[in-house]
Amino acid sequence: MKNITRLCSSKPTVTVNGRYPGPTIYAREDDTLLIKVVNHVKYNVSIHWHGVRQVRTGWADGPAYITQCPIQPGQVYTYNYTLTGQRGTLWWHAHILWLRATVYGAIVILPKRGVPYPFPKPDHEKVIVLGEWWKSDTENVINEALKSGLAPNVSDAHMINGRPGLAKNCSSDQGYKLSVKNGKTYLLRLVNAALNEELFFKVAGHLFTVVEVDAVYVKPFKIDTIVIAPGQTTNVLLTASKSTGKYLVTASPFMDSPIAVDNVTATATVHYSGTLSSSPTILTLPPPQNATSVATNFTNSLRSLNSKKYPALVPTTIDHHLFFTVGLGLNPCPTCKAGNGSRVVASINNVTFVMPKIALLPAHYFNISGVFTPDFPKNPPHVFNYSGGSVTNMATETGTRLYKLPYNATVQLVLQDTGIIAPENHPIHLHGYNFFEVGRGLGNFNPKKDPNNFNLVDPVERNTIGVPSGGWVVIRFRADNPGVWFMHCHLEVHTTWGLKMAFLVENGKGPNQSILPPPKDFPKC
């Protein structure tokens, strides 16, 4: 715990090594990492290495009660995993309760020695991690919401590298300063570590060249505004093309549904060397909060590099066709006075996921019965006008249900937003895998017409995908990593409410096709 002051108010905060944001981990492709986590706080802790494939090493993936029991107060666990065939920007964060509000940092995976980037080599690299800050204790924020049955209070500020910038009513907060020299090019490694908000990111008077998302190279394109959902990373080149000056940087929320967000814009500055600190900052306006077209323009520009060295290996024949609705629901809750006897929940295919008391991966590995059932539905239980909204019964089922996949099976998964309570953009994250986004659209997915427009050549490959508000996205992947792999909405409030499930991927027959045994210091429940 460390007392941290932001917005002129202090609170005891869970940190890694006393730092907020936490330290950046630097490594190279194919390096093996040993990260010792010692728990000195009163909470159970676990750390997820977001986007790391964890080939056969699910024990190191980190989501509490999915792949491991948490590290209890006073206990130690060493995460041991290899960055097999991955290079780029990923990140790490706590994966229990709401601790990731402050427990997070970047992972920078450099290419192997002597291997160049597939774009002009930047002169410098900077890590920029976006986040959210609450003045109150975030555990209290979510606990009070769960008691009431309603949505939690939104954050008090957004953060750029742990700083809010120009904050109302608090002059002591300084913004992050990115110092640049005229003519130099900077690789900015952006991470959205916010709990519940997709963000727009822009710099006054400058264009970005996007070169990578979620640690996968993309065909470079120029754009003035990035949109980045919680869980996602984006690498951009910024050329310091001006001779001098200070330029405003903004991180502001994107929300195109009638849902409350923290509407405070975080600011920073790009500061050219030789510019007086007293000189005026050149300003830019962030996009309107509901600027769907700005977000869509960015998303639609993303294409895999798909070069000889970095091919897009899109599965073309499919073994498992899955259709998952994602959205909200309403279940009875007699004690929820504020919610008039109901509580807001979230679900996939109308199943609100219940976290087990014993972690799923050890339960699977050691054949412990009674922890989960492998009967997660492959289609919604009821067919209705998904994106259209009104249904009479908004109740969901509850259960700890997994979907079983044989080793090396190919999967096509349609993720369909529902309009129940409100349509909303859901950033869905799959652990243990990258996947290809072969199609997206608005309204309800049409299985007869929509596949004709799929991109099977150079679709973007990522680990976290935004399901558009009132629309759908289709992803494909090959289940070549045995284990139990969590899939959930990366808006923390939706995960808490139950918008989550897991895939059980069986062992293959070959020598390198089964889960490795658990480490000796694996935490006990």
Side-chain angles (χ1 to χ4, degrees):
M1 301 303 288
K2 183 174 180 174
N3 259 338
I4 291 187
T5 305
R6 291 291 185 275
L7 312 178
C8 291
S9 126
S10 300
K11 67 172 181 178
T13 305
V14 183
T15 64
V16 167
N17 298 352
R19 288 162 66 178
Y20 165 74
T24 299
I25 294 168
Y26 288 90
R28 284 191 188 274
E29 177 175 349
D30 291 345
D31 280 358
T32 294
L33 273 56
L34 291 170
I35 301 174
K36 183 177 176 182
V37 178
V38 188
N39 185 359
H40 290 298
V41 299
K42 65 181 180 184
Y43 303 105
N44 284 343
V45 167
S46 72
I47 308 281
H48 171 52
W49 318 94
H50 184 117
V52 173
R53 285 285 321 267
Q54 298 290 3
V55 179
R56 305 169 63 212
T57 52
W59 313 107
D61 189 39
Y65 300 107
I66 305 297
T67 55
Q68 68 167 91
C69 299
I71 306 163
Q72 295 176 19
Q75 300 295 304
V76 183
Y77 178 43
T78 299
Y79 290 90
N80 178 349
Y81 58 89
T82 301
L83 302 167
T84 309
Q86 293 188 273
R87 82 292 311 155
T89 307
L90 294 172
W91 66 299
W92 56 267
H93 60 83
H95 212 307
I96 186 167
L97 305 168
W98 270 30
L99 296 184
R100 79 172 181 85
T102 55
V103 177
Y104 62 79
I107 303 175
V108 171
I109 312 169
L110 300 169
K112 291 181 193 174
R113 287 193 190 279
V115 176
Y117 293 129
F119 47 83
K121 185 178 190 292
D123 298 296
H124 301 283
E125 301 192 6
K126 304 278 183 186
V127 170
I128 297 182
V129 189
L130 310 176
E132 278 185 278
W133 183 264
W134 277 258
K135 285 185 183 178
S136 41
D137 183 315
T138 40
E139 293 312 310
N140 292 346
V141 170
I142 182 58
N143 289 341
E144 280 172 28
L146 289 173
K147 256 197 229 116
S148 75
L150 299 175
N153 290 341
V154 298
S155 56
D156 296 295
H158 294 107
M159 295 284 175
I160 299 174
N161 281 348
R163 305 257 160 220
L166 312 160
K168 282 202 300 262
N169 321 329
C170 181
S171 55
S172 67
D173 274 310
Q174 298 301 308
Y176 170 71
K177 182 170 118 181
L178 175 62
S179 303
V180 301
K181 280 192 176 135
N182 162 260
K184 300 285 187 208
T185 299
Y186 298 80
L187 179 68
L188 307 184
R189 297 173 174 273
L190 298 171
V191 177
N192 185 352
L195 256 72
N196 296 313
E197 302 194 355
E198 307 209 19
L199 296 168
F200 290 121
F201 183 82
K202 62 191 291 201
V203 175
H206 292 72
L207 282 176
F208 303 114
T209 302
V210 181
V211 292
E212 176 202 298
V213 294
D214 291 3
V216 182
Y217 296 130
V218 297
K219 292 188 171 76
F221 63 94
K222 286 189 163 53
I223 203 159
D224 66 351
T225 306
I226 306 289
V227 70
I228 182 168
Q232 294 183 332
T233 64
T234 304
N235 282 8
V236 299
L237 296 171
L238 175 81
T239 301
S241 53
K242 313 288 183 193
S243 51
T244 173
K246 281 162 52 187
Y247 295 83
L248 190 71
V249 180
T250 61
S252 62
F254 164 51
M255 170 58 81
D256 56 358
S257 313
I259 289 176
V261 290
D262 166 6
N263 61 6
V264 182
T265 298
T267 57
T269 50
V270 167
H271 194 117
Y272 278 75
S273 66
T275 306
L276 294 173
S277 53
S278 58
S279 65
T281 302
I282 292 156
L283 302 179
T284 183
L285 277 176
Q289 185 178 300
N290 63 351
T292 310
S293 59
V294 176
T296 306
N297 182 30
F298 176 81
T299 310
N300 288 350
S301 305
L302 295 170
R303 293 279 182 280
S304 279
L305 190 58
N306 192 28
S307 62
K308 254 204 184 99
K309 191 165 168 55
Y310 304 105
L313 303 172
V314 189
T316 48
T317 56
I318 299 298
D319 302 321
H320 289 250
H321 285 268
L322 307 179
F323 186 105
F324 287 4
T325 54
V326 294
L328 305 181
L330 215 51
N331 282 350
C333 169
T335 58
C336 297
K337 299 278 185 290
N340 287 339
S342 292
R343 95 164 40 254
V344 181
V345 294
S347 68
I348 301 179
N349 274 354
N350 216 44
V351 178
T352 295
F353 192 86
V354 177
M355 294 300 262
K357 298 281 185 284
I358 297 172
L360 298 173
L361 180 60
H364 161 57
Y365 187 86
F366 295 110
N367 277 326
I368 304 167
S369 62
V371 179
F372 65 86
T373 53
D375 61 349
F376 190 88
K378 64 187 293 187
N379 291 299
H382 313 289
V383 176
F384 60 99
N385 175 9
Y386 305 115
S387 58
S390 59
V391 289
T392 44
N393 181 4
M394 295 192 266
T396 65
E397 299 168 36
T398 55
T400 310
R401 300 165 70 180
L402 276 54
Y403 190 87
K404 194 185 270 192
L405 289 167
Y407 182 82
N408 223 28
T410 53
V411 181
Q412 175 173 297
L413 170 55
V414 180
L415 293 164
Q416 169 76 57
D417 183 34
T418 75
I420 299 174
I421 300 184
E424 202 175 332
N425 189 318
H426 297 277
I428 301 292
H429 171 48
L430 175 60
H431 290 228
Y433 290 93
N434 284 346
F435 48 73
F436 294 96
E437 178 204 312
V438 297
R440 66 167 53 228
L442 291 176
N444 298 333
F445 176 71
N446 181 327
K448 292 203 171 50
K449 289 184 189 154
D450 289 325
N452 298 332
N453 301 319
F454 284 177
N455 173 7
L456 303 179
V457 179
D458 61 353
V460 68
E461 180 183 348
R462 26 192 353 163
N463 62 55
T464 306
I465 193 80
V467 179
S469 188
W472 51 270
V473 65
V474 181
I475 64 171
R476 289 185 176 188
F477 65 96
R478 179 180 292 277
D480 57 3
N481 188 10
V484 175
W485 303 108
F486 204 22
M487 188 176 81
H488 60 96
C489 182
H490 221 283
L491 305 179
E492 210 55 35
V493 58
H494 290 172
T495 297
T496 304
W497 284 345
L499 210 166
K500 48 195 171 185
M501 58 80 68
F503 289 102
L504 194 169
V505 179
E506 297 176 307
N507 286 339
K509 297 205 167 35
N512 298 328
Q513 297 178 354
S514 44
I515 308 171
L516 293 165
K520 299 274 186 288
D521 62 342
F522 191 64
K524 305 265 186 291
C525 274

